[in-house]
Amino acid sequence: MKKARILVVDDDEFFRVLCSDILTSAGYEVVVASCGAEAVNIVESESLDVVITDLVMPDMSGLDVLQRTKQNNALVDVIVITGFGSIETAIEALKSGAVDYIRKPFNGAEILHTVSACLEKKKLLEENFDMKQSLRLYEITRVIISTLDINKFYHVAIEALLQTVEADAGISIMYASDNKTLDIMAVKHLNAEVAAQLVEYLKSKHEAELRALNTVMIVPLSDFSEEMRRVLGLTQTMLVVPIMKAGHPAGFLALLSGSRIFGQRDSVNASFIAEHVSQAYDVALQYTEAKETAFIDSLTNLYNSKYLDIVLEKEMKRADRHMMPLTVLFIDIDDFKQINDRNDHLVGSKVLVEFGKVMLKFVREVDTVIRYGGDEYVVILVDAEHEVSMKVAERIREGIEHTRFLAEDGMDIRITASIGVATYPTHSRDRAELLRIADKAMYHAKEESKNIVYLAPVPGPAKLPQQ
């Protein structure tokens, strides 16, 4: 068990030595100071548990030593000794933060009892603080672990760290898919431009350390360039926490502090949070993958019909917010049954896969291609009025018509498709009705001649009944 470290301050050598001998014989580690100035120097440079100081000294009073001790570390307890001073001075010391007082002349039993009681109280308070801190950390980690949405995760993670470690600002940054670029995922109490400069600085100056980081890293202000010091202003230090995946950092949480310097307790608490953040990140990724798999067609690897309502509702809301249209293409392969009849179902399945790939060539990344079922597909074109969408649909139709399907298998299968077109909000503002109109337009194309694009009739102004 670690010995308590006690500083004894008294200008009277007899009482200083007597007090030191009593405490040393009881197993305490004792440091002595013969004046207030010497005591303050020890308080500010060394680790202490208790300070025992005389109240009346020539250069600096015991009240001054008490004040300077509490300013440096409020957790260090101070016991004052009064002999020549009045009891009122001792009471003033208690009001200023002293835990107890002893009157000269004192005996060994009295001073040991006072010190023992002080340390026992300190221990109970620390245990209580640790218990409260543990409960608080537990509640914080529960929030992290329960966050399954990967986009919310980055915000929850940095907020959790800010709740655990006292800091002024924080950012979540993750390696992009190229495993080189660091993307900012969430920012708290920090200007976006400053956050970008900070990430760039970390990337350029601490690349090797970040790549190998598997524990909390504290970056002192002295490590920052003059330019970054100017940008960050009053920042004193930075704490970097790795988000681990498969033994390697997938990203980082970084905290900045201008009012204090991060210490050992901060590192311990941050490490605890880091472990749970990494676990939560892995769970959120698995959940995201599982969720996406539920909306992915197992044959073509395109989105499936379950995803259609979700994405269409989302895009319709976005269209409303930005006051822009979107168009639905309903596509059906012409005479697909004949492909299965002439070949086999394996060939038919391969055609469906390649058909999806052909369509993807003619749409943008922001657009969505869905296998609706069987040989039917739906394409959602965002920010596209029906005139533009007709041109896109025609390019898809031509691309399908001119593709030699399964050429890599030595086959030459030729197919065509019929496409129906309906636009939001021109044709309808209702999701189900918009799909029905596009579907009906596709069947009209089939009935007319197949291998064509058909735009659903655009509603005109209502006609007044004739008199």
Side-chain angles (χ1 to χ4, degrees):
M1 184 176 177
K2 182 186 174 184
K3 292 182 180 179
R5 200 157 190 267
I6 302 172
L7 170 62
V8 175
V9 189
D10 200 321
D11 62 318
D12 188 317
E13 185 178 3
F14 172 78
F15 282 107
R16 190 171 65 243
V17 172
L18 175 62
C19 188
S20 176
D21 288 347
I22 292 170
L23 293 169
T24 302
S25 64
Y28 296 113
E29 183 180 346
V30 180
V31 185
V32 296
S34 59
C35 63
E38 185 183 358
V40 169
N41 184 54
I42 293 172
V43 164
E44 293 179 345
S45 60
E46 299 183 30
S47 176
L48 299 167
D49 295 296
V50 180
V51 173
I52 301 175
T53 180
D54 190 16
L55 276 173
V56 181
M57 294 181 289
D59 67 326
M60 183 184 290
S61 72
L63 287 174
D64 290 330
V65 173
L66 166 63
Q67 184 181 31
R68 294 288 292 274
T69 299
K70 290 298 182 180
Q71 284 177 350
N72 182 73
N73 187 348
L75 297 178
V76 175
D77 288 329
V78 180
I79 300 169
V80 296
I81 301 174
T82 180
F84 303 110
S86 67
I87 191 67
E88 284 78 13
T89 309
I91 291 173
E92 185 182 347
L94 292 175
K95 290 180 179 178
S96 298
V99 295
D100 209 340
Y101 71 92
I102 302 172
R103 298 178 102 178
K104 288 181 179 178
F106 51 77
N107 60 52
E110 181 184 10
I111 194 167
L112 288 175
H113 172 75
T114 304
V115 170
S116 177
C118 172
L119 290 171
E120 187 63 29
K121 181 181 177 182
K122 185 183 180 75
K123 181 183 177 182
L124 288 172
L125 288 172
E126 286 179 350
E127 288 176 351
N128 188 42
F129 175 82
D130 289 341
M131 183 176 70
K132 286 182 177 179
Q133 182 70 356
S134 296
L135 288 172
R136 187 163 173 268
L137 289 175
Y138 171 72
E139 291 300 324
I140 290 172
T141 55
R142 280 182 62 189
V143 175
I144 300 170
I145 293 295
S146 64
T147 304
L148 298 176
D149 186 324
I150 194 67
N151 294 314
K152 289 182 181 178
F153 164 81
Y154 304 114
H155 296 272
V156 170
I158 195 63
E159 285 171 355
L161 192 58
L162 281 168
Q163 286 186 59
T164 307
V165 178
E166 183 184 344
D168 299 315
I171 56 174
S172 296
I173 51 180
M174 301 297 295
Y175 282 114
S177 55
D178 61 6
N179 203 31
K180 295 179 181 179
T181 309
L182 277 172
D183 292 334
I184 298 174
M185 312 306 292
V187 179
K188 290 291 177 182
H189 315 305
L190 197 64
N191 179 281
E193 184 178 344
V194 172
Q197 288 180 272
L198 178 62
V199 171
E200 186 57 38
Y201 178 81
L202 280 173
K203 185 80 168 58
S204 61
K205 300 296 183 180
H206 295 277
E207 170 71 11
E209 294 169 89
L210 292 177
R211 289 289 183 183
L213 195 64
N214 59 10
T215 187
V216 175
M217 176 175 72
I218 295 177
V219 183
L221 183 62
S222 57
D223 279 13
F224 289 101
S225 65
E226 288 295 329
E227 174 63 18
M228 280 309 299
R229 291 185 200 182
R230 184 188 64 77
V231 169
L232 295 173
L234 297 176
T235 297
Q236 299 255 4
T237 183
M238 179 170 62
L239 182 144
V240 182
V241 175
I243 300 174
M244 305 297 289
K245 180 171 173 57
H248 301 282
F252 310 92
L253 303 175
L255 298 185
L256 297 170
S257 177
S259 55
R260 59 190 293 272
I261 295 175
F262 295 120
Q264 181 62 30
R265 181 176 286 274
D266 297 318
S267 293
V268 171
N269 290 339
S271 296
F272 180 81
I273 292 295
E275 182 180 347
H276 288 82
V277 163
S278 295
Q279 292 174 6
Y281 176 66
D282 202 37
V283 171
L285 283 182
Q286 290 178 34
Y287 175 78
T288 301
E289 290 172 4
K291 189 176 178 182
E292 288 181 351
T293 301
F295 296 129
I296 297 297
D297 177 60
S298 60
L299 176 63
T300 62
N301 213 33
L302 299 173
Y303 287 110
N304 60 25
S305 58
K306 294 178 184 177
Y307 189 63
L308 177 57
D309 285 343
I310 296 172
V311 70
L312 190 53
E313 182 177 6
K314 182 183 75 172
E315 292 299 348
M316 286 169 71
K317 287 180 179 178
R318 192 163 76 97
D320 286 339
R321 282 198 308 271
H322 299 288
M323 294 185 293
M324 63 186 192
L326 71 85
T327 294
V328 173
L329 308 183
F330 218 110
I331 305 170
D332 185 89
I333 300 175
D334 296 326
D335 302 318
F336 181 71
K337 184 176 181 300
Q338 293 181 15
I339 296 174
N340 285 329
D341 291 344
R342 293 171 184 168
N343 302 281
D344 56 44
H345 286 283
L346 179 60
V347 170
S349 295
K350 288 184 176 181
V351 168
L352 292 174
V353 172
E354 191 170 346
F355 186 86
K357 292 178 180 178
V358 171
M359 284 194 296
L360 288 171
K361 294 177 183 178
F362 297 99
V363 298
R364 302 160 298 178
E365 286 189 10
V366 295
D367 301 322
T368 305
V369 178
I370 294 168
R371 185 187 176 204
Y372 189 68
D375 58 348
E376 293 182 326
Y377 296 77
V378 173
V379 177
I380 299 173
L381 304 173
V382 301
D383 193 14
E385 186 53 90
H386 54 78
E387 291 92 344
V388 174
S389 300
M390 287 292 289
K391 294 178 182 178
V392 175
E394 183 58 31
R395 286 200 298 271
I396 292 174
R397 187 202 63 76
E398 288 182 354
I400 293 167
E401 184 180 22
H402 297 135
T403 296
R404 179 188 167 192
F405 284 85
L406 305 193
E408 292 183 359
D409 294 337
M411 303 180 73
D412 184 9
I413 296 177
R414 303 287 179 161
I415 60 176
T416 60
S418 299
I419 305 175
V421 181
T423 298
Y424 175 88
T426 305
H427 288 95
S428 178
R429 299 191 66 90
D430 180 77
R431 183 176 72 246
E433 179 65 10
L434 185 68
L435 285 171
R436 190 191 68 78
I437 293 171
D439 185 30
K440 187 176 180 181
M442 180 271 292
Y443 276 106
H444 191 282
K446 281 190 171 297
E447 290 170 0
E448 189 168 311
S449 68
K450 298 181 181 177
N451 192 27
I452 64 169
V453 176
Y454 182 81
L455 173 66
V458 177
K463 294 181 180 180
L464 294 173
Q466 294 182 353
Q467 299 294 328

